[in-house]
Amino acid sequence: MAAVDILKYTTSSPADTTPLSLLENDGYKASDIVAVIGKTEGNGCVNDFSRTLSSHIWESKIPSSAVTVFSGGTEGVLSPHVTFLVRAKEKTGLVACSGVTRDFAAHEVGTEIQSQEVASVISQMIADAGIQKSVVHLVLIKCPLLTSTDIDAIRTEGQIPITTDTYESMALSRYASAVGIALALDEITPDRASAALGPEPGGVWSSRASCSSGAELKNCHIMMLAADPQETQGRLRAASGYMKDAIDAGVILGMLNKIQAENGKVLQVFVKAEADPRGSIRGLRHTMNTDSDIHSTRHARAAVGGLVAGLVGDSAVYVSGGGEGQGPPGGGSLSIVYSV
Amino acid sequence: MAAVDILKYTTSSPADTTPLSLLENDGYKASDIVAVIGKTEGNGCVNDFSRTLSSHIWESKIPSSAVTVFSGGTEGVLSPHVTFLVRAKEKTGLVACSGVTRDFAAHEVGTEIQSQEVASVISQMIADAGIQKSVVHLVLIKCPLLTSTDIDAIRTEGQIPITTDTYESMALSRYASAVGIALALDEITPDRASAALGPEPGGVWSSRASCSSGAELKNCHIMMLAADPQETQGRLRAASGYMKDAIDAGVILGMLNKIQAENGKVLQVFVKAEADPRGSIRGLRHTMNTDSDIHSTRHARAAVGGLVAGLVGDSAVYVSGGGEGQGPPGGGSLSIVYSV
Amino acid sequence: MAAVDILKYTTSSPADTTPLSLLENDGYKASDIVAVIGKTEGNGCVNDFSRTLSSHIWESKIPSSAVTVFSGGTEGVLSPHVTFLVRAKEKTGLVACSGVTRDFAAHEVGTEIQSQEVASVISQMIADAGIQKSVVHLVLIKCPLLTSTDIDAIRTEGQIPITTDTYESMALSRYASAVGIALALDEITPDRASAALGPEPGGVWSSRASCSSGAELKNCHIMMLAADPQETQGRLRAASGYMKDAIDAGVILGMLNKIQAENGKVLQVFVKAEADPRGSIRGLRHTMNTDSDIHSTRHARAAVGGLVAGLVGDSAVYVSGGGEGQGPPGGGSLSIVYSV
Amino acid sequence: MAAVDILKYTTSSPADTTPLSLLENDGYKASDIVAVIGKTEGNGCVNDFSRTLSSHIWESKIPSSAVTVFSGGTEGVLSPHVTFLVRAKEKTGLVACSGVTRDFAAHEVGTEIQSQEVASVISQMIADAGIQKSVVHLVLIKCPLLTSTDIDAIRTEGQIPITTDTYESMALSRYASAVGIALALDEITPDRASAALGPEPGGVWSSRASCSSGAELKNCHIMMLAADPQETQGRLRAASGYMKDAIDAGVILGMLNKIQAENGKVLQVFVKAEADPRGSIRGLRHTMNTDSDIHSTRHARAAVGGLVAGLVGDSAVYVSGGGEGQGPPGGGSLSIVYSV
């Protein structure tokens, strides 16, 4: 697990690779890249080809060991950008590594098989890194979804698709990934993980998981960020927690106050957003789940993005939609990386 | 101009009139209503029939002297609700009155004619009220738009429509109304108002204007809220200002701190939101104006709604989209009503 | 069961009731109305308030025995309109009647309970009318859906909602209604009806069913149209069949040729449209089920509406989206009413 | 100008290049390609990255002399596909060539400058080919649009953008290209072309133009298809005309009858679709221009696609949205290529 630096650049389109030049100006080479984590300006849903375009263009430019995680959807004030995690020359305070699962068959997507494969790869990554699970701040996963073609193929094979709704397959895949993270980080026990993906899914969550699904891949891309146990006073730090609902300004303000107390400067915020599945926030009805024109993930990214960008004063933040198992229902996991 | 109380209730649908019973439980009758100001859950754009439904249902239940202002769009966390301004039995610290313009012909919508008619009605309202222009906190206007039928009718009359884009007509109508408010409140001079609606419109704004357009009316509904000059220490107060951009948390936090210092409790926030027409916020690109799936007014409401609801801890706030002339470009007018 | 005439008028908005005056000009009174069947210009999905507005406005103007069926969605070339079925003074060749089920509890929507209640009401209507099931051309149903509030209420009662996706609840409700029609018309046996709504729903369809769901009602509105067995040579006739897929021009051209051979004039077309759930049409992939910006029912209405309007030369046709159980998968039931 | 064959293959995604293998199976090499004309499954509007993805992937696989024209939007039944025009070994009856304009500055997009540059390149192509203008069946153009960034850049240069609405810039660019085609084919005189792009644009159209705009290019890609004057009895033929409105089934049926009379088999249909700007079709109101959830180009493609696919019995047809200057208002140019 390498000591890493974190650098962020806005993009002019999903095909924009000028951030690579800027990265070089800032002293790093493409070969230093551990992960490229981007927000692209598509709808973040099934037919979001902005992610595919970015993945396609970036994957030819980075080491084969590196992963890309492109999350679609820059609704509201959010600004498209890429964040690089790069191997640092010396210790920084943060370490990171990346991994991938095997490709999943269509009928495995969103099931316990995906969950267990994710948990297994992460466990191996932690073992290889020789760190404690408790120092892990964030596990970021890009996972597959089901298209109409996939669903039809599952049926042709005589199997029953986990859902026939392509948009819902995104949620199921994110959830299976999140359960895998929770399991690997010992946030839940194996039997709870298994039950969570059974006939009545739900009920389990990780505060360090951030998962997004896309049609551009068949396996899971995994990026893990942790505090460096050998360098607790480094120049880079992270704080983790979770928003308890989509308007939980308090937790963010609390973290920002703590960072300010350390004379810190926020480098990036990673946060998950979702429409509360119960249809209300603090007892007041919201309409994200009954709006048939805009999917709820788009609504949630816009709203939480507005809040986070406003509080941080920066609109190039990583707000990802669809928080199933990634923080409490209606809330979302939250990690802030900062320098001191 | 009557002393007013302000009460807010959430709604279960645009056709929900149970708030009227709740208002009665709280000691007011339908005949006390000066204005019903609601957020409904449509798209807030040309074909938003949630506003029409609400207007239709409410207008039969309130005095003919009262006005309705239904603003569509509860994107993100925003919760559909109605706010009543009701005639209070005794002084409260706030006064309000309502008015209407004549119906506009389709070719007048969005032009200087609309602007001047608005200014004229407001000026008369101020004169009748016998108050200073400086104590006015908020002028809320509901104004018409152009449908395809209107545009075709304008052409049939041999006139040139101000735009052939029905969605753009909403912006032009809001802007004309806002210029009228700025003029009536002496925020601008008549010649600037005239220039602002000339061949190259723009450049003029009021920090106390909040205008929204809809297909459900042909005239302008006007609601004016002011501090009561005869009761400066009343239990109700208002603070006004403007967000300088869509992530301007600072101005809101500043007002909330001031209110807290007075031991105040926020009753309602009125704020305008828009996608910065320059395509960026504090130098970072946003994508609200290039998203052909979701109109920019919807994006802006969701983002600013997320910020305001998070800071206030209440998602039933009045966030209205389309801020042309209602605050600086990319920002928006802001008024908070609170009790002490 | 009354002899009926059929008259169609376009509307300028969902609130437009001028067709009532036109109907009077054409010799009928509001009290003659058996059913008002309209296409309104909303999205035809969960948050379509154009239907609610039309229902609200029309239901105060028609006899309490009459039903309204407002189907949202006039995508593409489709023109908003209302079709009246009115009691005729003398025999016309067509008869019609209307009925309603009891209100359904939220947890009953989309289940076998709905299906059986629908079948029971239709069976009674047929018995009362004293006609053969084989002469029924069309059963049109407006049925309820589940909102977020409904789903939350079901959970609060300790029950499991049939779906947590409000848009999907529309499909389930349409399907339950269609199964009820198929059962009442002896198109299927009771055991098949029961199986069709069991753990793996589907597989059953009626070629004479047309169902649409909406948030504006809790019960089912039912309209039945049949050939008058006592007047087989009347001036009004109907032809029924089904499109085998969404591009089945052949069946329409065949019917139009037959009508032309009788010197007939098309008065109205009732047709169902859906995106083939297998993701392809005649082996070629379509993208209606993977478009996260536009729901598939909107796509299907636009496409089938384009075909039907083109072939008939009239864009005020009744094209309803969501064909579950109403014609074969990917196709839809089809009825044409014409005069000779 | 080369004798060409035309081959069509469906695609599984915008990144799918398996059609190249299929083309090779059918006897042609990538180096034979004159043009790749595709329909991709994005929204066909400003932020359609499916086009960019396809262009990016295909442009590395075809000769530098070849052009790509990717038109986004496969609404309704339309099936994503690519059509190849390839250099044939012997005469076929059809000839084709391709060309490009220079890159346009942002402030030139949609203006007479674009129009004249297009006309100039086409005129040169015709001169080089040594054919009569009258034998040209179709000129297909892919042209640029304005993003927010472009509009801001124009302002920074002190110029006035032709529009500040990015979606509208697509229409203006298509129109300027169409006027260029009409001019080059002598369908209009230079003074009419000039007037058509003046202060009150419009009024001019070509029945052989098909233009689509996208963010993926700065110049115009031009593909011209003509009858081979030296091989009037070849195995490939084309028929051209125009739909007079969006439900003009008659013109299509007429062409299909003629083709059937020649024992022909339809290979591809190229047709333009638009929402009638007057808001009605044959006197009946349509709602495409007042739907703020779905842009009118998407509606029009879905509807005309449904009609054409139904009549031809093939959903992999080239239906392009936005018919400004490409056929009469509300209608669109139409070309059918067939083999005998």
Side-chain angles (χ1 to χ4, degrees):
Chain A
M1 209 164 182
V4 289
D5 204 352
I6 183 166
L7 297 102
K8 180 172 77 175
Y9 307 97
T10 57
T11 51
S12 64
S13 91
D16 180 15
T17 56
T18 54
L20 201 54
S21 315
L22 300 174
L23 184 69
E24 287 167 1
N25 292 347
D26 284 338
Y28 292 99
K29 297 188 302 294
S31 58
D32 298 325
I33 295 173
V34 173
V36 185
I37 303 159
K39 285 297 305 179
T40 61
E41 58 200 285
N43 62 20
C45 303
V46 180
N47 61 330
D48 181 349
F49 300 106
S50 72
R51 290 181 315 233
T52 317
L53 178 57
S54 284
S55 301
H56 185 84
I57 283 180
W58 279 99
E59 288 176 4
S60 67
K61 298 188 179 294
I62 61 173
S64 61
S65 65
V67 294
T68 58
V69 176
F70 284 101
S71 161
T74 56
E75 290 82 4
V77 297
L78 294 172
S79 187
H81 67 274
V82 291
T83 301
F84 295 107
L85 286 175
V86 291
R87 220 172 302 274
K89 281 140 198 104
E90 45 205 39
K91 292 203 171 294
T92 58
L94 292 178
V95 290
C97 60
S98 61
V100 293
T101 65
R102 65 169 172 82
D103 282 9
F104 292 105
H107 71 268
E108 296 173 334
V109 170
T111 69
E112 200 180 344
I113 296 172
Q114 178 181 333
S115 179
Q116 289 185 336
E117 175 73 11
V118 163
S120 160
V121 171
I122 297 174
S123 296
Q124 191 59 50
M125 287 165 69
I126 290 173
D128 291 349
I131 56 170
Q132 299 293 314
K133 295 176 178 189
S134 60
V135 301
V136 174
H137 273 292
L138 176 68
V139 180
L140 210 60
I141 289 187
K142 183 82 212 182
C143 48
L145 57 76
L146 298 180
T147 62
S148 285
T149 310
D150 293 325
I151 291 167
D152 199 42
I154 292 171
R155 283 183 178 130
T156 303
E157 290 166 14
Q159 308 222 35
I160 296 174
I162 194 165
T163 178
T164 58
D165 179 335
T166 56
Y167 176 71
E168 193 188 6
S169 77
M170 301 182 79
L172 296 170
S173 181
R174 285 188 298 258
Y175 183 61
S177 295
V179 171
I181 295 170
L183 186 58
L185 297 183
D186 282 351
E187 292 179 285
I188 56 169
T189 55
D191 57 320
R192 284 202 65 202
S194 192
L197 288 155
E200 284 192 44
V204 157
W205 54 274
S206 162
S207 68
R208 291 173 278 171
S210 176
C211 311
S212 68
S213 20
E216 67 274 21
L217 78 184
K218 295 289 172 201
N219 61 349
C220 288
H221 291 182
I222 303 173
M223 192 289 300
M224 186 165 71
L225 183 71
D228 188 344
Q230 300 165 17
E231 179 70 359
T232 55
Q233 297 300 313
R235 65 179 173 87
L236 296 185
R237 298 179 190 175
S240 294
Y242 60 88
M243 292 176 71
K244 66 177 192 292
D245 58 28
I247 60 172
D248 187 4
V251 67
I252 303 170
L253 286 168
M255 282 193 190
L256 292 178
N257 285 341
K258 181 179 164 296
I259 291 168
Q260 199 173 18
E262 298 178 45
N263 272 320
K265 181 175 171 297
V266 173
L267 297 179
Q268 185 54 301
V269 181
F270 298 92
V271 65
K272 288 296 304 191
E274 74 171 7
D276 197 300
R278 290 156 297 195
S280 62
I281 300 173
R282 301 189 192 174
L284 303 188
R285 182 171 72 104
H286 71 76
T287 61
M288 296 186 263
N289 296 329
T290 49
D291 186 338
S292 301
D293 298 310
I294 302 181
H295 270 308
S296 65
T297 43
R298 305 202 72 182
H299 277 292
R301 274 191 298 267
V304 172
L307 178 58
V308 173
L311 294 180
V312 179
D314 178 2
S315 52
V317 286
Y318 185 88
V319 180
S320 169
E324 306 81 3
Q326 308 145 69
S333 64
L334 170 67
S335 297
I336 306 185
V337 178
Y338 59 103
S339 63
V340 291
Chain B
M1 208 163 180
V4 289
D5 204 350
I6 183 166
L7 298 101
K8 180 172 77 175
Y9 308 97
T10 56
T11 51
S12 64
S13 90
D16 180 16
T17 55
T18 54
L20 202 53
S21 314
L22 300 174
L23 183 69
E24 287 167 0
N25 293 347
D26 285 337
Y28 291 99
K29 298 188 301 294
S31 59
D32 297 325
I33 295 173
V34 173
V36 185
I37 303 160
K39 285 297 306 179
T40 61
E41 57 201 284
N43 62 20
C45 303
V46 179
N47 61 328
D48 181 349
F49 299 106
S50 72
R51 289 182 314 233
T52 316
L53 178 57
S54 284
S55 302
H56 185 83
I57 283 180
W58 278 99
E59 288 177 3
S60 66
K61 298 188 179 292
I62 60 173
S64 61
S65 64
V67 292
T68 59
V69 176
F70 285 101
S71 160
T74 57
E75 290 82 5
V77 299
L78 294 172
S79 188
H81 67 274
V82 292
T83 302
F84 295 106
L85 286 175
V86 290
R87 220 172 302 274
K89 281 136 198 109
E90 46 204 38
K91 290 203 171 295
T92 60
L94 292 179
V95 290
C97 59
S98 61
V100 293
T101 65
R102 64 167 171 85
D103 283 9
F104 292 104
H107 72 267
E108 295 174 334
V109 170
T111 68
E112 199 179 345
I113 296 171
Q114 177 180 335
S115 179
Q116 289 186 337
E117 176 72 11
V118 163
S120 159
V121 172
I122 298 174
S123 296
Q124 189 63 47
M125 286 164 70
I126 291 173
D128 290 350
I131 58 170
Q132 298 293 313
K133 295 176 178 189
S134 60
V135 301
V136 174
H137 274 291
L138 176 67
V139 180
L140 210 60
I141 290 186
K142 183 82 212 182
C143 49
L145 56 76
L146 298 181
T147 62
S148 285
T149 309
D150 294 325
I151 292 167
D152 200 42
I154 293 171
R155 281 181 179 132
T156 303
E157 291 166 13
Q159 307 224 35
I160 296 174
I162 193 165
T163 177
T164 58
D165 179 334
T166 57
Y167 176 70
E168 194 188 5
S169 77
M170 300 182 80
L172 296 170
S173 180
R174 285 188 297 259
Y175 183 62
S177 295
V179 171
I181 296 170
L183 186 57
L185 297 183
D186 283 351
E187 294 179 284
I188 57 170
T189 54
D191 57 318
R192 283 201 65 200
S194 192
L197 289 156
E200 284 191 46
V204 158
W205 55 273
S206 162
S207 68
R208 291 175 278 172
S210 177
C211 311
S212 68
S213 21
E216 67 272 23
L217 77 183
K218 295 290 172 202
N219 62 348
C220 288
H221 291 181
I222 303 173
M223 191 289 300
M224 186 165 73
L225 183 71
D228 187 344
Q230 300 165 17
E231 179 70 0
T232 56
Q233 296 300 313
R235 66 178 172 89
L236 297 186
R237 298 178 191 174
S240 295
Y242 59 88
M243 292 176 70
K244 67 177 190 294
D245 57 30
I247 60 173
D248 186 6
V251 67
I252 303 170
L253 286 168
M255 282 192 189
L256 293 178
N257 285 341
K258 180 179 164 298
I259 292 167
Q260 199 172 16
E262 299 178 44
N263 272 320
K265 181 175 173 296
V266 172
L267 298 179
Q268 185 54 300
V269 181
F270 298 92
V271 64
K272 289 295 305 190
E274 74 170 6
D276 196 301
R278 290 156 297 197
S280 61
I281 300 172
R282 301 190 193 174
L284 304 188
R285 183 172 72 104
H286 70 76
T287 63
M288 297 187 261
N289 295 330
T290 51
D291 186 338
S292 301
D293 298 310
I294 302 180
H295 270 309
S296 66
T297 42
R298 304 202 73 183
H299 277 290
R301 273 191 299 266
V304 172
L307 178 58
V308 173
L311 293 180
V312 178
D314 178 1
S315 52
V317 284
Y318 185 88
V319 180
S320 168
E324 307 81 1
Q326 308 147 68
S333 64
L334 170 67
S335 296
I336 306 185
V337 178
Y338 60 103
S339 63
V340 291
Chain C
M1 208 162 182
V4 288
D5 203 352
I6 183 165
L7 298 101
K8 181 172 79 176
Y9 308 97
T10 57
T11 52
S12 63
S13 91
D16 179 15
T17 56
T18 54
L20 202 53
S21 314
L22 300 174
L23 183 69
E24 286 166 0
N25 291 347
D26 285 337
Y28 291 99
K29 299 188 300 294
S31 58
D32 298 324
I33 295 174
V34 173
V36 185
I37 304 159
K39 285 298 305 178
T40 61
E41 57 200 286
N43 62 20
C45 302
V46 180
N47 63 329
D48 181 350
F49 300 107
S50 72
R51 288 182 313 232
T52 316
L53 178 57
S54 283
S55 300
H56 185 84
I57 284 180
W58 278 100
E59 288 177 3
S60 67
K61 298 187 180 292
I62 60 172
S64 61
S65 64
V67 294
T68 59
V69 176
F70 284 102
S71 160
T74 56
E75 290 82 3
V77 298
L78 294 171
S79 187
H81 67 274
V82 292
T83 301
F84 295 107
L85 285 176
V86 290
R87 219 173 302 275
K89 282 137 198 110
E90 46 204 38
K91 290 202 170 297
T92 59
L94 292 178
V95 290
C97 60
S98 61
V100 293
T101 65
R102 64 170 171 83
D103 281 10
F104 292 105
H107 71 267
E108 295 173 334
V109 170
T111 68
E112 198 180 345
I113 296 171
Q114 178 180 333
S115 178
Q116 289 185 336
E117 176 73 9
V118 163
S120 159
V121 172
I122 298 175
S123 296
Q124 190 61 49
M125 287 164 70
I126 292 174
D128 290 350
I131 56 169
Q132 299 293 315
K133 294 175 178 190
S134 60
V135 302
V136 173
H137 273 291
L138 176 67
V139 179
L140 211 60
I141 289 187
K142 183 82 213 183
C143 49
L145 56 76
L146 299 180
T147 63
S148 286
T149 309
D150 294 325
I151 291 167
D152 200 41
I154 293 171
R155 283 183 178 129
T156 303
E157 291 166 14
Q159 307 223 35
I160 296 174
I162 193 165
T163 179
T164 58
D165 179 335
T166 57
Y167 176 70
E168 193 190 4
S169 77
M170 300 182 81
L172 296 170
S173 181
R174 285 189 298 257
Y175 183 61
S177 296
V179 171
I181 296 171
L183 186 56
L185 297 184
D186 283 350
E187 294 178 285
I188 56 169
T189 55
D191 58 318
R192 285 202 65 201
S194 193
L197 288 157
E200 283 189 48
V204 157
W205 56 274
S206 161
S207 67
R208 290 173 279 172
S210 176
C211 311
S212 68
S213 20
E216 68 272 23
L217 78 183
K218 295 291 173 202
N219 61 350
C220 289
H221 291 182
I222 303 173
M223 191 290 299
M224 186 166 72
L225 183 70
D228 188 343
Q230 300 165 15
E231 179 71 1
T232 55
Q233 297 300 313
R235 67 179 171 87
L236 296 185
R237 299 180 189 173
S240 293
Y242 60 88
M243 291 176 71
K244 66 178 192 293
D245 59 30
I247 60 172
D248 187 5
V251 66
I252 303 170
L253 286 169
M255 282 192 190
L256 293 178
N257 285 341
K258 179 177 165 298
I259 291 167
Q260 198 173 17
E262 299 178 45
N263 271 320
K265 181 174 172 298
V266 173
L267 297 180
Q268 183 56 299
V269 181
F270 298 92
V271 64
K272 289 295 305 191
E274 76 172 5
D276 197 300
R278 291 158 295 198
S280 61
I281 300 172
R282 302 190 192 173
L284 303 188
R285 182 171 74 103
H286 68 77
T287 61
M288 297 186 262
N289 295 330
T290 50
D291 186 338
S292 301
D293 298 310
I294 302 181
H295 270 309
S296 65
T297 42
R298 303 202 73 182
H299 277 291
R301 273 191 298 268
V304 173
L307 178 58
V308 172
L311 293 181
V312 179
D314 178 1
S315 53
V317 284
Y318 186 88
V319 180
S320 168
E324 306 80 4
Q326 307 147 68
S333 64
L334 170 68
S335 297
I336 306 185
V337 178
Y338 59 102
S339 62
V340 291
Chain D
M1 209 164 182
V4 289
D5 204 353
I6 182 165
L7 297 101
K8 180 172 77 177
Y9 307 96
T10 57
T11 51
S12 64
S13 90
D16 180 15
T17 56
T18 53
L20 201 54
S21 315
L22 299 174
L23 184 70
E24 286 166 0
N25 292 347
D26 284 338
Y28 291 100
K29 298 189 301 292
S31 58
D32 297 326
I33 295 172
V34 173
V36 185
I37 303 159
K39 283 300 304 179
T40 62
E41 57 199 286
N43 62 20
C45 303
V46 179
N47 63 328
D48 180 349
F49 299 107
S50 70
R51 288 182 314 231
T52 317
L53 178 57
S54 284
S55 300
H56 185 83
I57 283 181
W58 279 99
E59 287 176 3
S60 67
K61 298 189 180 291
I62 61 172
S64 61
S65 65
V67 293
T68 59
V69 175
F70 285 101
S71 161
T74 56
E75 290 81 4
V77 298
L78 294 172
S79 187
H81 67 273
V82 291
T83 301
F84 295 107
L85 286 175
V86 291
R87 219 172 303 274
K89 282 140 198 106
E90 46 205 39
K91 291 200 170 296
T92 59
L94 293 178
V95 290
C97 60
S98 61
V100 293
T101 66
R102 64 171 172 83
D103 282 9
F104 292 105
H107 71 267
E108 295 173 334
V109 170
T111 68
E112 198 179 346
I113 296 171
Q114 178 181 333
S115 178
Q116 289 186 336
E117 176 71 12
V118 163
S120 159
V121 172
I122 297 174
S123 296
Q124 190 60 49
M125 287 165 71
I126 291 173
D128 290 351
I131 57 169
Q132 300 293 315
K133 295 175 178 190
S134 59
V135 300
V136 174
H137 273 292
L138 177 67
V139 179
L140 212 59
I141 289 187
K142 183 83 213 181
C143 49
L145 57 75
L146 298 181
T147 63
S148 284
T149 311
D150 294 325
I151 291 167
D152 199 42
I154 293 172
R155 284 183 177 127
T156 304
E157 290 165 17
Q159 308 224 33
I160 297 174
I162 193 165
T163 178
T164 59
D165 179 335
T166 56
Y167 176 71
E168 193 189 6
S169 77
M170 301 182 79
L172 296 170
S173 181
R174 285 189 297 259
Y175 183 61
S177 295
V179 171
I181 295 170
L183 186 57
L185 297 184
D186 283 351
E187 294 179 284
I188 55 169
T189 55
D191 58 318
R192 284 201 65 201
S194 193
L197 290 155
E200 284 191 46
V204 157
W205 54 274
S206 161
S207 66
R208 291 173 280 172
S210 176
C211 310
S212 67
S213 21
E216 68 272 22
L217 77 183
K218 294 290 173 201
N219 62 350
C220 289
H221 291 182
I222 303 172
M223 192 290 300
M224 185 166 72
L225 182 72
D228 187 343
Q230 299 165 17
E231 179 71 1
T232 55
Q233 298 299 314
R235 67 179 171 88
L236 297 185
R237 298 178 191 175
S240 295
Y242 59 89
M243 290 176 71
K244 65 179 191 293
D245 58 30
I247 59 172
D248 187 5
V251 67
I252 303 171
L253 285 169
M255 281 191 190
L256 293 178
N257 285 341
K258 179 179 164 297
I259 290 168
Q260 198 172 18
E262 298 179 45
N263 273 319
K265 180 175 173 298
V266 172
L267 298 179
Q268 184 56 299
V269 181
F270 298 92
V271 64
K272 290 295 305 190
E274 75 171 5
D276 196 300
R278 290 158 296 196
S280 61
I281 300 173
R282 301 191 193 174
L284 303 188
R285 183 171 72 103
H286 69 78
T287 61
M288 297 186 263
N289 295 330
T290 51
D291 186 338
S292 301
D293 298 309
I294 302 180
H295 269 308
S296 65
T297 43
R298 303 202 73 182
H299 277 292
R301 274 191 297 268
V304 173
L307 178 58
V308 173
L311 293 181
V312 179
D314 178 2
S315 53
V317 285
Y318 185 89
V319 180
S320 168
E324 306 80 3
Q326 308 146 68
S333 63
L334 170 67
S335 296
I336 306 185
V337 178
Y338 59 103
S339 63
V340 290

